[in-house]
Amino acid sequence: MKKPFAFYLFAFTLLLTANCLLQTACRFNPDMQTPGEGYLQGEWQQDSVTMQKQLVTYSLYNLKFNCDSFFVSIKTFSKVNNGADSCTKGGNWTEYAKGVYEQRNDTLHVRGLFCNANYTYKDPGGCLRSGVYEERFKITKKGDSMLQFSPTSNVISFNTRLIKRSTCNPKPL
């Protein structure tokens, strides 16, 4: 008589544990864009890099933030040829990425995919980067229309200036 009770108690405990794990581990994605950070909304442009004439390679960023989404254009200048000249066009090339971002304290985490200039996703392969684009930046406000981005993957910080302010109008996903 005790064996069936123990079996049912074990089965009940197992089902209760599985139910608790499933309810806390899974959740539906939101059906609307989140508003993102208000101070970031708009287009931010980097005009120069400190000591850029002395650098062998440097990049200039143009970042656009709309609600919780971003689009980045990275224009790279290099004095060395790292690959096929048709790809790097004599030491100048531009890469694009889009995705979502989130900010925790002073760190901005952007994660997305490399894409083409027209926002369409880039096919894997080719001579420039494709696939996942992920970066973390420490952000320091230098004023209402100036931000300093310090990439965690690089030692060179860069300043951007606001060239166009926008407001977030969340869209359905």
PDB file of all heavy atoms in Angstrom, residues 11-25:
ATOM      1  N   ALA A  11       5.871  11.273  -8.535  1.00  0.00           N
ATOM      2  CA  ALA A  11       5.368  11.780  -9.814  1.00  0.00           C
ATOM      3  C   ALA A  11       4.847  13.210  -9.659  1.00  0.00           C
ATOM      4  O   ALA A  11       5.106  14.072 -10.505  1.00  0.00           O
ATOM      5  CB  ALA A  11       4.282  10.867 -10.365  1.00  0.00           C
ATOM      6  N   PHE A  12       4.116  13.478  -8.584  1.00  0.00           N
ATOM      7  CA  PHE A  12       3.600  14.824  -8.333  1.00  0.00           C
ATOM      8  C   PHE A  12       4.747  15.826  -8.149  1.00  0.00           C
ATOM      9  O   PHE A  12       4.732  16.917  -8.707  1.00  0.00           O
ATOM     10  CB  PHE A  12       2.690  14.813  -7.093  1.00  0.00           C
ATOM     11  CG  PHE A  12       2.203  16.179  -6.709  1.00  0.00           C
ATOM     12  CD1 PHE A  12       1.222  16.825  -7.445  1.00  0.00           C
ATOM     13  CD2 PHE A  12       2.748  16.841  -5.608  1.00  0.00           C
ATOM     14  CE1 PHE A  12       0.792  18.089  -7.103  1.00  0.00           C
ATOM     15  CE2 PHE A  12       2.320  18.102  -5.264  1.00  0.00           C
ATOM     16  CZ  PHE A  12       1.339  18.735  -6.016  1.00  0.00           C
ATOM     17  N   THR A  13       5.750  15.435  -7.384  1.00  0.00           N
ATOM     18  CA  THR A  13       6.910  16.303  -7.153  1.00  0.00           C
ATOM     19  C   THR A  13       7.647  16.579  -8.456  1.00  0.00           C
ATOM     20  O   THR A  13       8.054  17.713  -8.729  1.00  0.00           O
ATOM     21  CB  THR A  13       7.866  15.663  -6.122  1.00  0.00           C
ATOM     22  OG1 THR A  13       7.124  15.372  -4.937  1.00  0.00           O
ATOM     23  CG2 THR A  13       9.019  16.579  -5.796  1.00  0.00           C
ATOM     24  N   LEU A  14       7.810  15.556  -9.275  1.00  0.00           N
ATOM     25  CA  LEU A  14       8.488  15.717 -10.557  1.00  0.00           C
ATOM     26  C   LEU A  14       7.715  16.664 -11.473  1.00  0.00           C
ATOM     27  O   LEU A  14       8.297  17.567 -12.094  1.00  0.00           O
ATOM     28  CB  LEU A  14       8.666  14.349 -11.214  1.00  0.00           C
ATOM     29  CG  LEU A  14       9.493  14.312 -12.486  1.00  0.00           C
ATOM     30  CD1 LEU A  14      10.930  14.713 -12.186  1.00  0.00           C
ATOM     31  CD2 LEU A  14       9.457  12.929 -13.094  1.00  0.00           C
ATOM     32  N   LEU A  15       6.413  16.497 -11.567  1.00  0.00           N
ATOM     33  CA  LEU A  15       5.582  17.373 -12.395  1.00  0.00           C
ATOM     34  C   LEU A  15       5.577  18.803 -11.862  1.00  0.00           C
ATOM     35  O   LEU A  15       5.635  19.771 -12.642  1.00  0.00           O
ATOM     36  CB  LEU A  15       4.155  16.840 -12.482  1.00  0.00           C
ATOM     37  CG  LEU A  15       3.959  15.602 -13.354  1.00  0.00           C
ATOM     38  CD1 LEU A  15       2.544  15.072 -13.228  1.00  0.00           C
ATOM     39  CD2 LEU A  15       4.265  15.946 -14.800  1.00  0.00           C
ATOM     40  N   LEU A  16       5.514  18.970 -10.553  1.00  0.00           N
ATOM     41  CA  LEU A  16       5.523  20.302  -9.957  1.00  0.00           C
ATOM     42  C   LEU A  16       6.850  21.007 -10.238  1.00  0.00           C
ATOM     43  O   LEU A  16       6.886  22.189 -10.609  1.00  0.00           O
ATOM     44  CB  LEU A  16       5.281  20.210  -8.449  1.00  0.00           C
ATOM     45  CG  LEU A  16       5.163  21.537  -7.702  1.00  0.00           C
ATOM     46  CD1 LEU A  16       3.960  22.319  -8.208  1.00  0.00           C
ATOM     47  CD2 LEU A  16       5.047  21.294  -6.215  1.00  0.00           C
ATOM     48  N   THR A  17       7.961  20.303 -10.117  1.00  0.00           N
ATOM     49  CA  THR A  17       9.274  20.869 -10.403  1.00  0.00           C
ATOM     50  C   THR A  17       9.397  21.258 -11.875  1.00  0.00           C
ATOM     51  O   THR A  17       9.876  22.349 -12.204  1.00  0.00           O
ATOM     52  CB  THR A  17      10.389  19.879 -10.019  1.00  0.00           C
ATOM     53  OG1 THR A  17      10.251  19.537  -8.640  1.00  0.00           O
ATOM     54  CG2 THR A  17      11.758  20.459 -10.266  1.00  0.00           C
ATOM     55  N   ALA A  18       8.969  20.369 -12.764  1.00  0.00           N
ATOM     56  CA  ALA A  18       9.026  20.664 -14.200  1.00  0.00           C
ATOM     57  C   ALA A  18       8.166  21.876 -14.533  1.00  0.00           C
ATOM     58  O   ALA A  18       8.577  22.749 -15.316  1.00  0.00           O
ATOM     59  CB  ALA A  18       8.576  19.452 -15.005  1.00  0.00           C
ATOM     60  N   ASN A  19       6.977  21.973 -13.946  1.00  0.00           N
ATOM     61  CA  ASN A  19       6.089  23.108 -14.188  1.00  0.00           C
ATOM     62  C   ASN A  19       6.734  24.410 -13.716  1.00  0.00           C
ATOM     63  O   ASN A  19       6.692  25.425 -14.416  1.00  0.00           O
ATOM     64  CB  ASN A  19       4.752  22.872 -13.494  1.00  0.00           C
ATOM     65  CG  ASN A  19       3.744  23.959 -13.824  1.00  0.00           C
ATOM     66  OD1 ASN A  19       3.745  24.495 -14.910  1.00  0.00           O
ATOM     67  ND2 ASN A  19       2.892  24.273 -12.864  1.00  0.00           N
ATOM     68  N   CYS A  20       7.345  24.392 -12.543  1.00  0.00           N
ATOM     69  CA  CYS A  20       8.017  25.606 -12.029  1.00  0.00           C
ATOM     70  C   CYS A  20       9.161  26.032 -12.935  1.00  0.00           C
ATOM     71  O   CYS A  20       9.326  27.214 -13.222  1.00  0.00           O
ATOM     72  CB  CYS A  20       8.534  25.360 -10.613  1.00  0.00           C
ATOM     73  SG  CYS A  20       7.213  25.268  -9.396  1.00  0.00           S
ATOM     74  N   LEU A  21       9.949  25.076 -13.386  1.00  0.00           N
ATOM     75  CA  LEU A  21      11.070  25.407 -14.272  1.00  0.00           C
ATOM     76  C   LEU A  21      10.586  25.980 -15.590  1.00  0.00           C
ATOM     77  O   LEU A  21      11.148  26.944 -16.111  1.00  0.00           O
ATOM     78  CB  LEU A  21      11.938  24.175 -14.515  1.00  0.00           C
ATOM     79  CG  LEU A  21      12.791  23.716 -13.332  1.00  0.00           C
ATOM     80  CD1 LEU A  21      13.467  22.389 -13.659  1.00  0.00           C
ATOM     81  CD2 LEU A  21      13.825  24.767 -12.977  1.00  0.00           C
ATOM     82  N   LEU A  22       9.553  25.399 -16.158  1.00  0.00           N
ATOM     83  CA  LEU A  22       9.043  25.884 -17.437  1.00  0.00           C
ATOM     84  C   LEU A  22       8.440  27.275 -17.311  1.00  0.00           C
ATOM     85  O   LEU A  22       8.603  28.110 -18.198  1.00  0.00           O
ATOM     86  CB  LEU A  22       8.007  24.910 -18.005  1.00  0.00           C
ATOM     87  CG  LEU A  22       8.574  23.620 -18.579  1.00  0.00           C
ATOM     88  CD1 LEU A  22       7.442  22.685 -18.970  1.00  0.00           C
ATOM     89  CD2 LEU A  22       9.467  23.905 -19.766  1.00  0.00           C
ATOM     90  N   GLN A  23       7.748  27.547 -16.222  1.00  0.00           N
ATOM     91  CA  GLN A  23       7.130  28.862 -16.070  1.00  0.00           C
ATOM     92  C   GLN A  23       8.154  29.959 -15.860  1.00  0.00           C
ATOM     93  O   GLN A  23       7.948  31.093 -16.273  1.00  0.00           O
ATOM     94  CB  GLN A  23       6.142  28.844 -14.910  1.00  0.00           C
ATOM     95  CG  GLN A  23       4.862  28.133 -15.264  1.00  0.00           C
ATOM     96  CD  GLN A  23       3.827  28.224 -14.146  1.00  0.00           C
ATOM     97  OE1 GLN A  23       4.053  28.855 -13.130  1.00  0.00           O
ATOM     98  NE2 GLN A  23       2.702  27.577 -14.352  1.00  0.00           N
ATOM     99  N   THR A  24       9.266  29.653 -15.226  1.00  0.00           N
ATOM    100  CA  THR A  24      10.271  30.698 -14.990  1.00  0.00           C
ATOM    101  C   THR A  24      11.267  30.790 -16.137  1.00  0.00           C
ATOM    102  O   THR A  24      11.877  31.830 -16.325  1.00  0.00           O
ATOM    103  CB  THR A  24      11.035  30.439 -13.680  1.00  0.00           C
ATOM    104  OG1 THR A  24      11.651  29.156 -13.750  1.00  0.00           O
ATOM    105  CG2 THR A  24      10.111  30.505 -12.480  1.00  0.00           C
ATOM    106  N   ALA A  25      11.476  29.731 -16.898  1.00  0.00           N
ATOM    107  CA  ALA A  25      12.490  29.734 -17.953  1.00  0.00           C
ATOM    108  C   ALA A  25      11.964  30.288 -19.268  1.00  0.00           C
ATOM    109  O   ALA A  25      12.725  30.834 -20.049  1.00  0.00           O
ATOM    110  CB  ALA A  25      13.025  28.321 -18.176  1.00  0.00           C
TER     111      ALA A  25
END
